[in-house]
Structures are given as C-alpha cells and as structure tokens.
Amino acid sequence: MSDHETDDGVLVVGAGPAGLTATAELLRRGVPVHCVDRASGPSGLSKALGVWPRTVELFHRLGGARHVAAEALPQAAMRYYSSGRLVADIRFRRPTHQPMAFPQPAVESLLREAVERLGGSVSWETTLLSLAQDAGGVTARLREPDGTVVARRYRYAVGADGAGSRVREELGVSFEGATHELGFVVADIAMDTTLQHDVTHYFCSDKGILVTCGLPDGRWRVFTSGPPGMSRDEVDLSLVQRLVDERGPGGLRLRDPEWISVFAVHARHADRMRVGRVFLVGDAAHIHSPAGGQGLNTGVTDAHNLAWKLALAWRGRCAPELLDSYAAERGQVARAVIRQAEVQTRIWLLRRRYEVAARDAALRLASGTRLFHLGYLPWLAGFRTRYGTAMAGSRPQDGCRPGALVPARPVWDEDRRRRLPLRHALDDLRYTLVVHTSGPLDRPTEGLLSWIDAQCADVVDVRVLHRRTRVLGRRRPAVGAGPSRRWRGRDCGLVLVRPDGHVDACVAGDRAELVRRRLAELLRPAGGPAGRIEGTRDGNLIVS
C-alpha cells in the first residue's frame, strides 16, 4: 500500500443516480470530488424508471433539459383496475404533476455528462476497502483497477453505494426494517397490446398485482408479484407470460425480453444518515417498495440537499448545525416515502372481499372528486415536502411558507428579461433574500441589506419582488421614514430562500433583525480554509 495521498475534497462512493448527483452538484459549487465505483462501468439495466417533476427541475439545473426531452416519456395517466374492471383513471392534467418514464441508464448518462462537463469523472473498478475518520477528515483505503491499494485523505465522504453499502458497514450503522414475504418479478419486454403506451396500468386481483408501463423505446416495463415459493431459477419468459395472463386484462402477448429479474421488496432505513464527516444518501440510507416510483427521486433529492450544505462547510462558510440538518430533513422524507410505499404495496395485494370493496370504493371516490390532484399527486411530484428546520418565529409571507418550496408563480425576471416561475428565477448556488415590497423599504429592511452587503454577499443574493407588477429585480426602492400606519410594518415581506429552493425564514420587514440573526447563526465569515467565492460562470461557482 502506498503512503497517504492528500485529496482535499469529498469522496463519493457509488456512481448511481444519487452519487452522480452529489458529484455534479459539488463540482458546480467549486468542490473537488473523487467519485469511485467498484463496477467496471455503467450498468445497462433500467432498474428505476419513474422520475417526478421536482427531480426533473434538478436535472434542468444541471443542464439536462435536452437529455430529458430526448430520452424520457411523459406519462398521461395512472389507471387502476380491480379484477379487470377500471376503478380509477387519474390523469396528469398539470405538467407540474406529470411524471416521466425515464429509465435509470438514461438518467445516469445525463448525470455523467454533467459531471464530465464540470471537469469531473468516475473512477471505475475502484473498491472501498475501509474508512476511518478523525476530527480533521476521512481516510479511505481504496483498491484501484490495477490492484494497487492506496490510502487517501478527504475532508468528507458520501456513501451512495446502494442497499449493500460498504460505507454504511464501515460506519457500523444498522439497517433496520422488514422484507416483504412475496418475491417480485420485473421485465423490460416487447408486448403486443392495445393498452395506452403512455399510461401506467395497475391490475389488482386475487392472484396478485400486475403493473405495466410503456418505455421510451417502445417496450414495456412489467412488474408483478411472484407465486409463493418462487425460485429465481424458474423465472423465464413463459412464467412471466403466465403471471400476466392470470393478473392482466387478457390478450397481452410478451416477446423479446431485454431482461427479466427477480427481487425482494424491502422497507429499511439506516438508523443514522450522518456519522461525523461521513453521510449516507439514496439506497445506502433507505430502501422501499417501488410503489409510487419514489426511489430514484428520493436518492437524487437526498444528494442535492446534502451537496449545497457540504459545499458551504468545505469552504468554512457554515455553522455545524447546517450539516446536522441533512439527517433531520432527509430522514423525515425517507420515513414518509417508506410509509407511503408500504401502504400502497399492501393495498395492491388485498384479497379479502370486504377489503377489496373498500379499496375500490376509495379509489373511485378519490379519482372522481380530484382528491388525488389536490393531495397525493403534488406529494408524489415532490412539491409538498416541508422541512421542520425553518427559522423559529417564521410566518407565511406573500404565499411563501416556512420549510416549504418557494412557490413557482410566474414573475418577470429582469436579469434574464423573460417570465419565469419564481423558484426557477432564484440563484440555486446561494441563499436568496427575496424582499416583497409595494413601496419604499422600511429602515429595518435597509439595515439588513446593508449588513448582507458587508458580511455575506458572496453566499446571499438579494432580489426585490414588487408585489403589484410581479417584477423581480435588483433595484432597491428608496428608504421611507418607517412602516406606514396602514401597513403596520408589512410594507416589506422578507423571505430567505435556501439554495435548494426551500424557505428558511419568513418575516415582515420590521422584524428584519431576526433574519440577520438567522444568517449569523447559519453562516461563518468569509476566508475559510478553502477560500471564498469569486463569482459565477455558466451557472457554476468560481472559488479561489
């Protein structure tokens, strides 16, 4: 083994969607990354398939819009059948709710392109052997493709190495939960059918569940519960055809399988997502049923949540509490996803007559009264996540809620000279203070802006949103004598938005001092161990 080699950046173990997202987002923020994977190269198996709108937003931020348009198939609806009868037709009437069939190899290709465009790469055939950490960093022993074992030193490490995570094992973190009693079969296959190709069809019956979904290349994904005692060796095209005949509407002929696999459905969660300087993301931290199609999405949003915080920590610009918030926030999300997936899986497999009747009635009611559109679909789409870590004392301001994503209502963005959703118009590399105003600034607000200019302008952007015109600009109105009696201190509304688009603080302008204190708690003075931000280029940070 060689002597220690120093790598001042972040080690990312695993080059799946979560690991690649973490790598790309860190590189965007000026952090050096060493991404390793023990595989010989990218997998061609499609595995995860569903990608929801919030994840697509993040892909667009990474420059993946062209790739999404070329490789993904937007879904028109979800249809539920019970013993062959249609009981719910849930159409995605809004683009903000519409998922895509976007096979995992295409997702990973998009993310690898982003990593390479940002100057990074993946070290394939590189295996993590051991991991140790101390107060100053993390030491990883890696076996490289030629068999050489090298010890390298990093500031932080991210375990994105899947359900069998070596990183999690090295940390001694337990992975508690349960495994479903039935095995499941999945196949990507050609299918002769009259079923609508851009719809996900759920066929529930006393024989089991069958889910079919069209793929962008014209094939179909077939997912079904296996018979009790199913052996991996007996699963072939003839067995899949028999299961489809038993559970489906009839007349579905399968041929030319690209791949067929058997897997167990687990519901497990790591008891810790952070141990010191090492973090777990994606399947290394939580796994669950594919019901709801949340797996890939949760891993990507885990990585995004972590990356911007790690970047601030790497530059010495944030308090330790900001890194602590990763485990609190993403643990909250993972537990909700696991609960939802487990409930839906059990609903699929109901067999008692009264339970089936109740399920079918509930599906009809929710579909007919648009309850799915009001509650369930926005949650699946990724827009209902509301973190409980927002600043204490925050209250809703101008449609913004503490902990939630900033709204996507359209504004005229003076920087880009076009109309954009507010969330898309804000800088995702820095915090943004959005000043909502309909007149002059009050003195507390002006004092806060002056403090930001002097203390943290490199990590906090300031935008002014005029309430009446919905113009988002940078010109600051003149300072008035103070809050008018009419508005009683509400001439200005202050909304502090994090780089991931979630609202951290909401107060009226006369309480601007609370925002200053919050920023002082979250951030540290510039000039940390890795330098300060010089500016941005093509949506990426330049760090000296």
Side-chain angles (χ1 to χ4, degrees):
M1 183 179 73
S2 74
D3 294 332
H4 281 54
E5 296 183 8
T6 300
D7 187 329
D8 193 45
V10 176
L11 172 66
V12 175
V13 183
L20 290 169
T21 300
T23 300
E25 290 291 350
L26 286 165
L27 289 170
R28 282 185 72 211
R29 291 164 168 79
V31 180
V33 186
H34 187 199
C35 180
V36 304
D37 197 294
R38 66 182 181 181
S40 59
S43 171
L45 300 180
S46 57
K47 302 181 226 178
L49 181 63
V51 173
W52 289 89
R54 172 58 178 162
T55 308
V56 173
E57 279 189 6
L58 302 182
F59 290 164
H60 284 188
R61 292 278 195 176
L62 288 170
R66 177 189 56 80
H67 207 120
V68 171
E71 301 289 343
L73 175 66
Q75 295 292 286
M78 298 188 295
R79 290 181 186 150
Y80 287 84
Y81 307 80
S82 182
S83 299
R85 300 185 309 275
L86 179 65
V87 294
D89 185 8
I90 305 161
R91 297 179 181 275
F92 301 113
R93 295 182 174 89
R94 299 180 181 177
T96 53
H97 295 165
Q98 186 177 39
M100 296 186 172
F102 196 0
Q104 186 168 329
V107 169
E108 292 180 1
S109 177
L110 178 159
L111 293 169
R112 282 194 306 275
E113 284 186 15
V115 167
E116 291 164 6
R117 190 166 56 248
L118 292 162
S121 63
V122 176
S123 295
W124 299 106
E125 298 184 273
T126 302
T127 304
L128 174 70
L129 300 177
S130 66
L131 201 65
Q133 60 177 314
D134 53 40
V138 179
T139 301
R141 290 176 63 249
L142 303 170
R143 183 169 57 238
E144 299 186 328
D146 62 0
T148 302
V149 176
V150 61
R152 286 194 171 138
R153 185 83 168 160
Y154 303 90
R155 195 82 65 81
Y156 298 97
V158 177
D161 48 343
S165 171
R166 175 70 186 205
V167 173
R168 191 182 63 240
E169 179 183 337
E170 286 291 304
L171 295 175
V173 171
S174 64
F175 204 41
E176 299 298 330
T179 300
H180 202 280
E181 60 271 18
L182 289 179
F184 289 79
V185 177
V186 64
D188 285 356
I189 200 163
M191 184 166 72
D192 296 329
T193 179
T194 59
L195 293 175
Q196 187 172 335
H197 191 71
D198 60 352
V199 168
T200 303
H201 305 268
Y202 299 86
F203 296 96
C204 302
S205 74
D206 58 5
K207 301 291 186 182
I209 179 67
L210 168 67
V211 183
T212 65
C213 175
L215 300 175
D217 65 1
R219 292 175 177 266
W220 288 77
R221 165 69 56 86
V222 173
F223 168 81
T224 186
S225 52
M230 175 183 63
S231 166
R232 184 178 298 271
D233 295 336
E234 67 181 290
V235 177
D236 56 14
L237 177 58
S238 62
L239 175 64
V240 181
Q241 181 69 67
R242 178 169 66 81
L243 296 174
V244 168
D245 291 341
E246 286 179 353
R247 291 102 188 265
L252 307 181
R253 189 172 72 84
L254 308 181
R255 54 185 172 80
D256 191 21
E258 183 174 1
W259 69 296
I260 299 174
S261 184
V262 177
F263 66 97
V265 168
H266 305 275
R268 297 184 183 276
H269 188 278
D271 67 352
R272 289 169 291 168
M273 295 178 71
R274 176 190 183 185
V275 178
R277 291 176 171 268
V278 185
F279 302 80
L280 299 174
V281 298
D283 287 356
H286 42 73
I287 55 173
H288 50 81
S289 162
Q294 294 294 304
L296 182 151
N297 300 268
T298 308
V300 166
T301 46
D302 279 353
H304 186 264
N305 181 290
L306 176 62
W308 68 266
K309 296 171 182 176
L310 269 186
L312 284 172
W314 181 82
R315 293 200 303 273
R317 291 293 271 120
C318 74
E321 290 75 17
L322 185 62
L323 284 182
D324 290 339
S325 71
Y326 165 72
E329 292 174 357
R330 298 311 298 174
Q332 162 198 328
V333 171
R335 288 188 291 273
V337 168
I338 290 171
R339 283 195 302 270
Q340 177 275 146
E342 185 65 14
V343 167
Q344 186 165 335
T345 302
R346 294 189 180 281
I347 286 173
W348 282 350
L349 299 173
L350 293 175
R351 295 192 178 186
R352 294 187 180 94
R353 186 171 298 175
Y354 73 91
E355 292 175 334
V356 170
R359 176 197 66 201
D360 295 350
L363 285 170
R364 288 191 188 96
L365 177 64
S367 178
T369 58
R370 296 176 60 82
L371 290 178
F372 279 113
H373 297 271
L374 296 174
Y376 190 50
L377 292 184
W379 183 84
L380 288 174
F383 297 130
R384 285 290 174 87
T385 298
R386 188 175 181 182
Y387 296 131
T389 52
M391 184 188 79
S394 290
R395 295 290 183 270
Q397 291 282 328
D398 294 275
C400 298
R401 296 186 303 156
L405 282 167
V406 73
R409 293 197 307 270
V411 298
W412 177 261
D413 182 7
E414 287 192 334
D415 281 3
R416 296 177 178 86
R417 306 302 301 168
R418 60 192 175 101
R419 191 168 296 278
L420 286 172
L422 175 59
R423 185 165 63 247
H424 301 181
L426 302 184
D427 188 347
D428 72 331
L429 298 174
R430 296 183 284 175
Y431 280 85
T432 303
L433 180 68
V434 182
V435 181
H436 296 255
T437 183
S438 54
L441 296 184
D442 50 41
R443 295 194 183 281
T445 297
E446 179 61 25
L448 171 63
L449 301 190
S450 298
W451 180 86
I452 289 173
D453 288 343
Q455 298 294 325
C456 53
D458 61 326
V459 289
V460 181
D461 192 18
V462 176
R463 305 297 301 273
V464 177
L465 179 59
H466 294 270
R467 287 191 177 105
R468 287 191 294 269
T469 63
R470 303 298 297 170
V471 172
L472 182 71
R474 297 189 179 276
R475 293 190 298 273
R476 301 177 186 177
V479 180
S484 66
R485 291 184 179 179
R486 177 186 175 192
W487 286 99
R488 300 180 184 273
R490 289 178 291 166
D491 284 7
C492 296
L494 304 178
V495 178
L496 181 64
V497 184
R498 310 185 326 178
D500 60 0
H502 283 266
V503 174
D504 185 78
C506 291
V507 298
D510 61 347
R511 305 183 74 201
E513 175 63 16
L514 294 179
V515 178
R516 188 197 67 76
R517 292 178 188 172
R518 177 64 168 176
L519 287 170
E521 290 172 1
L522 291 170
L523 304 177
R524 291 290 180 262
R532 60 177 288 128
I533 302 171
E534 293 291 334
T536 63
R537 181 185 298 124
D538 299 326
N540 308 314
L541 290 185
I542 304 168
V543 180
S544 62

